[in-house]
Amino acid sequence: INGEVDFISNIPVMDVDRLKSDANIQVVTNPSLSCSYMGFDLLNEHGSAGTDDPNPLLNVKVRQAIYHAIDIQTIIDTVMNGYATVANSYMPSICVGYNPDAERPAYDPELAKQLLAEAGYPASFYEKVDAENLQSSFFMAGWGDGSGEGMVIFNDMLYTYNGKPGMGEGNKGHYSNPEVDALLDEASVEADQDKRAALVEQVDQIARDEAAYVPLFFKDNIFGVRAGLQYTPRSDDHILAWDFTF
């Protein structure tokens, strides 16, 4: 605003309207490749909430209920001030294996209550949130990858943790499904892009059906650019000098 810089990235969403009101500043946005998501503790059979009770998150209906209980559009409209896109997968739309027709489970509080009752939790259950010591029953995190390959993302995020060297390193919730691992093993050596995409789509749908995690949104990249300077954002989130023109 004071004219000391020509370009700035990572503008907080609450500052965008103020910058837009300044005739000397252009606000440029584009969708990022970073997916914000909710993960679950799928490792501990007991003690997830700091007790000896069974871990309710191991029940797929509980995870599905949480998915249906999240009003993601309201979160985007309010918390993110509209500067985000609803996610239905870890994968951004540029990825091999992304299915534009895949439907995100709808926000449905009544269905969420029904699923919890079917899972044996008609009233409530306890969960532990301890971000400081990284000992939470669930957590919110972000993950991005510019490879354009859904297989690469899922190898990191859905393959069994420690199941194979170099695989599952981002799978912090310890989701594990032998069918998913087998499909990813096949996709990792499949040279035909269409066949690889079909395998990745299967993995994506299994993870969605099992609520292995809850994708939330892809935040927008927000840039402030001095008037007279033109900037065209890249889809891979990199900022390069030749993306600017005068």
Side-chain angles (χ1 to χ4, degrees):
I1 290 178
N2 61 13
E4 291 184 357
V5 297
D6 294 327
F7 174 84
I8 189 170
S9 61
N10 299 319
I11 294 174
V13 294
M14 68 285 295
D15 292 333
V16 174
D17 290 341
R18 181 165 62 96
L19 293 178
K20 281 185 173 180
S21 67
D22 191 317
N24 295 315
I25 299 173
Q26 308 167 67
V27 174
V28 179
T29 66
N30 78 320
S32 77
L33 302 179
S34 177
C35 178
S36 296
Y37 68 95
M38 176 181 288
F40 304 114
D41 171 15
L42 302 180
L43 175 65
N44 295 297
E45 294 185 6
H46 296 274
S48 179
T51 71
D52 291 328
D53 295 337
N55 178 2
L57 295 173
L58 295 179
N59 189 316
V60 65
K61 289 189 176 182
V62 171
R63 302 195 303 272
Q64 291 169 337
I66 293 172
Y67 211 141
H68 285 293
I70 296 175
D71 184 356
I72 189 59
Q73 191 58 56
T74 295
I75 291 173
I76 289 174
D77 292 342
T78 55
V79 178
M80 299 303 294
N81 204 21
Y83 291 99
T85 303
V86 175
N88 66 4
S89 171
Y90 285 131
M91 289 187 294
S93 59
I94 67 168
C95 282
V96 174
Y98 178 82
N99 181 3
D101 298 322
E103 294 186 2
R104 177 188 173 88
Y107 170 58
D108 189 336
E110 294 306 313
L111 178 55
K113 293 176 184 178
Q114 176 185 325
L115 288 166
L116 286 176
E118 292 174 1
Y121 301 98
S124 63
F125 57 83
Y126 292 98
E127 292 293 357
K128 180 179 182 180
V129 179
D130 184 356
E132 183 176 351
N133 295 305
L134 301 178
Q135 295 179 349
S136 296
S137 301
F138 57 91
F139 57 92
M140 181 174 171
W143 188 266
D145 181 275
S147 69
E149 285 284 350
M151 171 266 297
V152 172
I153 295 174
F154 288 161
N155 279 346
D156 282 333
M157 304 301 287
L158 292 176
Y159 203 95
T160 297
Y161 187 82
N162 283 340
K164 181 186 287 186
M167 307 286 261
E169 293 179 352
N171 184 0
K172 305 304 183 186
H174 292 258
Y175 169 77
S176 182
N177 181 324
E179 182 182 4
V180 165
D181 290 354
L183 287 166
L184 288 173
D185 284 339
E186 188 176 351
S188 296
V189 297
E190 178 55 67
D192 184 282
Q193 180 170 299
D194 291 339
K195 293 179 180 178
R196 191 167 66 253
L199 293 166
V200 171
E201 282 189 35
Q202 291 182 62
V203 170
D204 192 30
Q205 191 58 54
I206 292 170
R208 188 175 296 107
D209 292 342
E210 294 189 340
Y213 66 102
V214 179
L216 298 171
F217 53 79
F218 290 94
K219 66 179 181 65
D220 285 358
N221 292 320
I222 308 175
F223 310 97
V225 186
R226 173 180 59 78
L229 182 65
Q230 302 300 318
Y231 173 63
T232 303
R234 299 167 56 89
S235 62
D236 61 8
D237 289 356
H238 296 156
I239 300 172
L240 303 177
W242 46 84
D243 296 328
F244 295 85
T245 57
F246 295 88

